[in-house]
Amino acid sequence: MRLKDEDKQQRIKKAMVDLILRDGIDGISISKIAKEAGVSAATIYVYYESKEEMLTEIFREYADLPYGYVMQQVNSDMDGRDLIETLVRGCYDFSIEHEEIFSFVEQCHRCPTLSEQVCDKDCSCDVLSLLHQYQKMGILKQYSDWSLVAIIFAPVRWLAANRKALSSNSEKYLDELVYMIQKVLLND
Amino acid sequence: MRLKDEDKQQRIKKAMVDLILRDGIDGISISKIAKEAGVSAATIYVYYESKEEMLTEIFREYADLPYGYVMQQVNSDMDGRDLIETLVRGCYDFSIEHEEIFSFVEQCHRCPTLSEQVCDKDCSCDVLSLLHQYQKMGILKQYSDWSLVAIIFAPVRWLAANRKALSSNSEKYLDELVYMIQKVLLND
Amino acid sequence: MRLKDEDKQQRIKKAMVDLILRDGIDGISISKIAKEAGVSAATIYVYYESKEEMLTEIFREYADLPYGYVMQQVNSDMDGRDLIETLVRGCYDFSIEHEEIFSFVEQCHRCPTLSEQVCDKDCSCDVLSLLHQYQKMGILKQYSDWSLVAIIFAPVRWLAANRKALSSNSEKYLDELVYMIQKVLLND
Amino acid sequence: MRLKDEDKQQRIKKAMVDLILRDGIDGISISKIAKEAGVSAATIYVYYESKEEMLTEIFREYADLPYGYVMQQVNSDMDGRDLIETLVRGCYDFSIEHEEIFSFVEQCHRCPTLSEQVCDKDCSCDVLSLLHQYQKMGILKQYSDWSLVAIIFAPVRWLAANRKALSSNSEKYLDELVYMIQKVLLND
DNA sequence: CATGAATGAGAATTCATTCAT
DNA sequence: GATGAATGAATTCTCATTCAT
């Protein structure tokens, strides 16, 4: 695999994700993506078998990036409060820093055909391992995995998705969310 | 002159929503919808100016149905615990009873072009009035509106959206969620 | 026939002719015309059997308006020079005063299907009678009808059609044309 | 990669021009043209961005063919009489030999949107250079360019356009026209 | 007479994809 | 590997026309 090509495929991915942020998942087409990526439409078929397969593959590849991002923020000697704050804020920060990937992943997850193939919870397995550790140490309460993922990430993602409709005091809401979730999940 | 066939427009709406559940928002087309609704494709343009406008208009019309549904479950003399349980479970029940509308609304809310025009929080204003009452009575804590909507509805919606990936013990997760949220929001 | 209706038909005609000036004969449609005329598309079918028939009928009705216009300018005791000047200038004036009708008639005359049904020369029969009188009086040379119509009207119409591309000194060209044609057609 | 098939584009052009002769400029459609040219409708969009652009481009390309044709008939040592006769008859001959191009160009010239973009006089610049030479030599009178083009070509084109309505003695009219124009333009 | 509703047919255009180079 | 050419199928949407009211 030559460097040049790697770059080309990267441009294709970026083009697709950028366009989906701009036009929505229902607004993309192979030729639009090709134009945005600066390659011929035919070139896309060198890397992907079909549009369908391209979407799925890139979704699969990107789906756990948000979780990967927050995991990088986490430090193993954090206490419970910090852990939760880091996870929640990390999720929000990712949605700002990588708006297009955030939106892409969110859109794909709601799309029935795609979400069947990539389950959100599976993407969060690293985070879950971490949470299990904190549960074992008696810091976090013993809620089940699904409940944990739901309560930690769903509200902040909703906030992030609606960010532009907020006046600007999103910081305040974020603080509240962090506080709430700490209260629910932490022992004492 | 013939009167506008109310039933026909209803069939168009239903067809669109049903198809979006099946094929995703990126998988619908005017002719598919027309066929499903049993009308001519041209007829759709009697009711809507364009595909875009049709999507937006129906989205706007349906966006608050989930909130309307839970409001019907609520009883004004409920205590705080029951209120929260009813809101959360109501949201989940709606996603089962009206799977296609739930999925439609969720998909639209993630789509950038559409979500710009219909803000999720606006749809929940009746719910918010209710929550304000409970706040005034000192039953609910004084969190801000955005945080309330986020914590009450986002997790359960995520659960509902991933329902099929759950073995079947979704009841357990739902119980946990209800319990968590009660703990966060209720005073003592 | 009620007054109101007469007015409605008139509006339809005007709308069609106006639109053909703006969009070209290939750019009109029943619904555009209806909207422009402020009537329902169905109403047009009260007055005309089909689009085809409408075009033909209105063309037939308007085709000799330019000739009618110049005939009104003509005075029976004009001398030869004045006659020619009046005919040529009249034609030009009509193209300015009734730009939309001028363009409409010109476009129809070039359109093979339409021009088959309405021959330009037939429209000029009144003018020809007049010219015959001046020929009998020995004022005009004995050219054949076709040649007369061609030499008197074709150049000025070309000038009129290209009017907007002329800097503005169309007056000068018009003077020259009048002079030329006088020279050709007048005896002595 | 396959090379652009020059022949294919040629067939598209021919198909369009032929169809416009048969059905009028308001009677063509991309699919009709494609069928006539023996290509897929989509192929037309490989060569032209839109129907509008196709029309304009082909019009621009063909607009001076009639003038090019008559220029080929002209011989530089002709006297004034022959020059005029050749120009006028050449124009007529072209309309017979290349009926479809003649009709196409005439229709486009009357169409407001198209004629804005391609001015008839610009197409005749070679002819004008020639006429200027004859003017300098004192053979032709000093009329302005517009008047020359108008008087030489407009009448014969009108005759050509109405050719089919003439009994058949078009030769006679043509003779008259030639004679008239010689009389106007030649010195002595 | 007038018209909103309805539609089959067809419009222009785009799509995803293939293929020869 | 990369791509311009090519296209059948599908897209959105408009058209001319009919009809019940």
Side-chain angles (χ1 to χ4, degrees), chain D:
Chain D
M1 93 192 116
R2 265 177 293 181
L3 285 175
K4 238 181 213 183
D5 193 338
E6 178 57 31
D7 170 56
K8 213 160 259 183
Q9 181 162 19
Q10 215 51 47
R11 262 153 50 207
I12 292 170
K13 285 183 203 169
K14 183 163 168 33
M16 194 187 91
V17 171
D18 285 353
L19 278 177
I20 284 184
L21 172 63
R22 212 188 60 196
D23 298 343
I25 202 171
D26 56 327
I28 51 164
S29 79
I30 292 287
S31 43
K32 271 195 200 174
I33 294 170
K35 190 174 288 180
E36 175 89 5
V39 301
S40 158
T43 302
I44 291 180
Y45 288 87
V46 172
Y47 296 91
Y48 302 100
E49 286 208 345
S50 67
K51 190 196 176 190
E52 181 71 16
E53 205 234 30
M54 175 174 61
L55 244 181
T56 312
E57 205 167 295
I58 301 183
F59 176 34
R60 210 186 297 279
E61 189 181 336
Y62 282 13
D64 47 16
L65 286 191
Y67 294 109
Y69 181 93
V70 301
M71 283 304 285
Q72 286 190 312
Q73 323 283 316
V74 161
N75 195 305
S76 61
D77 53 356
M78 283 176 162
D79 64 12
R81 308 189 72 77
D82 283 349
L83 176 72
I84 288 170
E85 173 146 24
T86 309
L87 292 178
V88 174
R89 284 192 192 279
C91 189
Y92 193 81
D93 292 344
F94 180 84
S95 82
I96 289 172
E97 234 175 274
H98 301 286
E99 193 184 1
E100 71 295 343
I101 295 178
F102 176 76
S103 173
F104 167 67
V105 169
E106 286 284 296
Q107 288 186 61
C108 290
H109 270 311
R110 310 294 151 176
C111 193
T113 358
L114 287 167
S115 76
E116 264 175 33
Q117 307 192 47
V118 180
C119 175
D120 194 9
K121 210 201 69 175
D122 297 339
C123 307
S124 60
C125 55
D126 285 347
V127 174
L128 280 171
S129 308
L130 185 70
L131 294 176
H132 292 163
Q133 288 175 27
Y134 278 79
Q135 286 183 318
K136 269 186 206 139
M137 295 190 294
I139 299 173
L140 286 186
K141 294 229 168 82
Q142 297 292 339
Y143 293 114
S144 57
D145 292 356
W146 286 85
S147 303
L148 288 173
V149 173
I151 202 82
I152 297 174
F153 295 111
V156 64
R157 275 193 219 141
W158 183 85
L159 207 64
N162 288 280
R163 174 160 60 92
K164 278 163 187 166
L166 273 73
S167 327
S168 70
N169 34 7
S170 57
E171 270 308 313
K172 178 183 151 201
Y173 306 123
L174 205 48
D175 287 342
E176 284 188 348
L177 270 190
V178 168
Y179 174 76
M180 287 175 176
I181 299 167
Q182 287 170 336
K183 202 168 138 195
V184 182
L185 295 186
L186 295 175
N187 273 320
D188 72 310

Side-chain angles (χ1 to χ4, degrees), chain C residues 67-120:
Chain C
Y67 294 109
Y69 182 93
V70 301
M71 284 303 285
Q72 287 191 310
Q73 321 285 317
V74 161
N75 196 303
S76 60
D77 52 356
M78 284 175 164
D79 64 13
R81 306 190 74 77
D82 284 350
L83 175 73
I84 288 170
E85 173 145 25
T86 309
L87 293 178
V88 173
R89 284 192 192 279
C91 188
Y92 192 80
D93 292 343
F94 180 84
S95 83
I96 289 172
E97 233 175 276
H98 301 286
E99 194 184 1
E100 70 295 344
I101 295 178
F102 176 75
S103 175
F104 166 68
V105 169
E106 287 282 295
Q107 289 185 60
C108 290
H109 271 310
R110 308 295 150 174
C111 196
T113 358
L114 286 166
S115 76
E116 265 173 33
Q117 307 190 46
V118 180
C119 175
D120 193 10

Side-chain angles (χ1 to χ4, degrees), chain A residues 124-170:
Chain A
S124 59
C125 53
D126 285 347
V127 174
L128 281 171
S129 308
L130 184 70
L131 295 175
H132 292 163
Q133 290 173 25
Y134 278 78
Q135 285 183 319
K136 271 186 204 139
M137 294 189 292
I139 299 173
L140 287 185
K141 295 230 168 85
Q142 297 292 339
Y143 294 115
S144 58
D145 293 357
W146 285 86
S147 302
L148 287 173
V149 173
I151 202 84
I152 296 174
F153 295 110
V156 65
R157 276 192 218 140
W158 183 85
L159 207 64
N162 288 280
R163 174 161 58 93
K164 278 159 187 168
L166 272 72
S167 327
S168 68
N169 34 5
S170 56

Side-chain angles (χ1 to χ4, degrees), chain B residues 1-2 28-31 42 45 50-51:
Chain B
M1 93 191 117
R2 266 178 292 181
I28 51 163
S29 79
I30 293 286
S31 42
Y45 288 88
S50 66
K51 190 196 176 190

Side-chain angles (χ1 to χ4, degrees), chain A residues 20-26 55 67 103 106-107 110-113 115 119-121 141-151 154-155 157-159 161-162 165-166 172-173 176-177 179-181 183-186, chain B residues 20-26 55 67 103 106-107 110-113 115 119-121 141-151 154-155 157-159 161-162 165-166 172-173 176-177 179-181 183-186:
Chain A
I20 285 184
L21 173 63
R22 214 189 58 197
D23 298 343
I25 202 173
D26 56 327
L55 241 184
Y67 294 109
S103 175
E106 286 283 295
Q107 289 186 61
R110 309 294 151 177
C111 196
T113 358
S115 75
C119 174
D120 193 10
K121 210 201 65 175
K141 295 230 168 85
Q142 297 292 339
Y143 294 115
S144 58
D145 293 357
W146 285 86
S147 302
L148 287 173
V149 173
I151 202 84
R157 276 192 218 140
W158 183 85
L159 207 64
N162 288 280
L166 272 72
K172 179 183 148 199
Y173 306 124
E176 284 186 349
L177 271 190
Y179 174 77
M180 286 176 178
I181 300 167
K183 204 169 136 193
V184 181
L185 295 186
L186 294 176
Chain B
I20 284 185
L21 172 62
R22 212 188 60 197
D23 298 343
I25 203 172
D26 57 326
L55 244 181
Y67 295 109
S103 174
E106 286 284 295
Q107 290 186 60
R110 309 296 151 175
C111 193
T113 357
S115 76
C119 175
D120 194 9
K121 211 200 68 173
K141 295 229 168 83
Q142 296 293 337
Y143 294 113
S144 59
D145 292 356
W146 285 86
S147 303
L148 287 173
V149 173
I151 202 82
R157 276 193 218 141
W158 183 85
L159 207 65
N162 288 279
L166 274 71
K172 178 184 149 197
Y173 306 123
E176 284 186 349
L177 271 188
Y179 175 76
M180 286 175 176
I181 300 167
K183 204 170 136 192
V184 182
L185 295 185
L186 294 177

